[in-house]
Amino acid sequence: MNTEENLDCIFCKIVSGEIPTEFIGENEHAVAFKDLYPQAPVHILVVPKSHSENISKMIIKSELEGVFDLIRTVTSEFTDGQFKLQFNSGSREGQTVFHTHAHVLSQQSK
Ligand code: AMP
Ligand code: ZN
């Protein structure tokens, strides 16, 4: 299930500009910004513009494609080509913000 915006969601507020955040990448379907509490020298979040709870709830192929296109862009612009990609899904598995997001983690910036 995807909805345009969830008013209580911190990442929806970042997407809409209500919480000012510098985007280091953007396309039609997703934005990318630095994680506030980086866990690696490069730690970027790639976030779909439409609200969904986690990656398993994303069903619109064009939106999935937009997220993965932006992941490809930021990994090529901000890492040396070696990185980890993580979608925490569900509180038991470490998800704390319930708006789909990919963590892009790398030990080496470009
Ligand atoms: P997760 O634990 O997988 O749900 O990841 C949520 C991530 O969002 C954490 O790594 C937080 O550090 C990050 N985060 C929370 N609020 C912000 C914010 N305002 N700007 C950037 N990153 C944030
Ligand atoms: Zn949201």
Side-chain angles (χ1 to χ4, degrees), residues 14-32:
I14 287 175
V15 168
S16 73
E18 189 180 335
I19 297 175
T21 301
E22 186 192 351
F23 295 152
I24 60 172
E26 181 170 8
N27 65 21
E28 184 186 351
H29 293 295
V31 297

Side-chain angles (χ1 to χ4, degrees), residues 7-107:
L7 295 176
D8 296 325
C9 171
I10 184 171
F11 284 178
C12 282
K13 289 179 180 170
I14 287 175
V15 168
S16 73
E18 189 180 335
I19 297 175
T21 301
E22 186 192 351
F23 295 152
I24 60 172
E26 181 170 8
N27 65 21
E28 184 186 351
H29 293 295
V31 297
F33 51 89
K34 290 182 180 170
D35 197 290
L36 204 52
Y37 303 104
Q39 293 171 30
V42 179
H43 189 171
I44 296 165
L45 299 175
V46 176
V47 176
K49 290 182 176 178
S50 288
H51 182 87
S52 59
E53 192 179 325
N54 63 51
I55 187 71
S56 67
K57 304 280 172 63
M58 280 190 75
I59 51 170
I60 300 173
K61 286 191 177 158
S62 58
E63 294 183 358
L64 283 165
E65 192 173 60
V67 168
F68 281 93
D69 280 349
L70 190 52
I71 288 169
R72 193 176 309 112
T73 301
V74 299
T75 55
S76 92
E77 281 185 11
F78 297 103
T79 82
D80 65 348
Q82 298 192 50
F83 58 89
K84 290 177 189 162
L85 188 59
Q86 187 164 323
F87 289 87
N88 294 334
S89 302
S91 54
R92 191 198 64 219
E93 303 297 337
Q95 188 177 11
T96 60
V97 176
F98 293 90
H99 178 130
T100 305
H101 54 279
H103 294 264
V104 174
L105 298 148
S106 179
Q107 297 302 315

